[in-house]
């Protein structure tokens, strides 16, 4: 199983920005479909964004309204989540997830992914 480590979370004021990173171990990252999920206190984990192996296609939770951008650098075995115009409602633990097989569409269910990171806390104050 590939190991995933998230970083970049923290405390930010409403309207601010953060960039989360997820570093993956192993040598198959470039062939892996990657996703970001988040879980707020008392709520279920929800899909945030996903990106295909080559980075050619990206998918987002509709409510993000273009504020979030997922990207990847296969040379660094890293996927990113740029979060702008953050709102208190964005407060959650953010997880990256890896799917070991290729996929051209969107994967919004946790069951579609094979490996998960430990998560990084994002707190947005008002």
């Amino acid at each position: 199983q590939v190991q995933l480590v998230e970083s970049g979370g923290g405390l930010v004021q409403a309207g601010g920005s953060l960039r989360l990173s997820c570093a993956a171990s192993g040598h198959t990252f470039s062939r892996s479909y990657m996703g970001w999920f988040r879980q707020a206190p008392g709520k279920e984990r929800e899909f945030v964004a996903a990106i295909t192996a080559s980075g050619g296609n990206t998918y987002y939770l509709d409510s993000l309204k273009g504020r979030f951008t997922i990207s990847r650098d296969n040379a660094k075995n890293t996927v990113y989540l740029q979060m702008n115009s953050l709102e208190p409602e964005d407060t959650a633990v953010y997880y990256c997830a890896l799917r070991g097989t290729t996929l051209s569409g969107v994967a919004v269910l946790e069951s579609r992914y094979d490996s998960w990171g430990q998560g990084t806390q994002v707190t947005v104050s008002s």
Side-chain angles (χ1 to χ4, degrees):
Q1 183 173 336
V2 175
Q3 293 184 345
L4 305 174
V5 180
E6 302 96 336
S7 62
L11 175 64
V12 63
Q13 294 182 6
S17 299
L18 286 173
R19 189 176 77 159
L20 306 183
S21 298
C22 175
S25 65
H27 302 282
T28 61
F29 178 81
S30 63
R31 295 179 290 177
S32 301
Y33 183 102
M34 300 294 297
W36 284 97
F37 288 74
R38 67 184 183 183
Q39 186 168 23
K43 297 183 178 180
E44 296 183 350
R45 190 174 301 183
E46 67 176 351
F47 171 82
V48 172
I51 188 168
T52 54
S54 67
N57 293 306
T58 58
Y59 310 92
Y60 300 94
L61 181 67
D62 288 343
S63 62
L64 296 179
K65 300 179 181 179
R67 296 184 295 113
F68 288 16
T69 302
I70 188 171
S71 62
R72 66 191 297 160
D73 186 339
N74 287 346
K76 297 181 178 180
N77 284 4
T78 301
V79 63
Y80 305 96
L81 184 68
Q82 179 68 46
M83 306 184 295
N84 298 324
S85 300
L86 285 165
E87 304 169 353
E89 292 74 21
D90 296 318
T91 295
V93 176
Y94 285 72
Y95 301 88
C96 65
L98 178 149
R99 176 183 170 88
T101 57
T102 58
L103 184 68
S104 60
V106 60
V108 301
L109 301 178
E110 295 179 48
S111 61
R112 303 294 297 275
Y113 297 85
D114 303 306
S115 301
W116 293 82
Q118 295 299 308
T120 184
Q121 176 70 50
V122 172
T123 302
V124 184
S125 64
S126 59

